[in-house]
Amino acid sequence: MDVDAMGRALVQAVIEHYLSYRDIGDVRRELEYLVESLDDDDPVVTRGC
């Protein structure tokens, strides 16, 4: 499988999973946060609370 196609499939699977228990606005904010953090010099570290 093409690497880009695999990446899109993985992202789509994660989004579909999120949408099974989160509303679309929440998922949108999560994705926007992740996109904005791509430019950061420091990696994003997430921990379950």
Side-chain angles (χ1 to χ4, degrees):
M1 177 178 262
D2 177 68
V3 175
D4 287 334
M6 176 63 82
R8 284 189 297 277
L10 290 169
V11 169
Q12 184 64 35
V14 169
I15 291 170
E16 287 176 7
H17 178 70
Y18 275 166
L19 289 173
S20 72
Y21 65 95
R22 296 167 74 172
D23 66 64
I24 195 164
D26 188 36
V27 173
R28 178 180 289 118
R29 286 185 295 276
E30 176 75 18
L31 294 172
E32 288 171 351
Y33 170 79
L34 292 171
V35 167
E36 290 172 7
S37 71
L38 292 174
D39 291 336
D40 291 346
D41 291 336
D42 299 324
V44 174
V45 177
T46 59
R47 295 189 177 111
C49 296

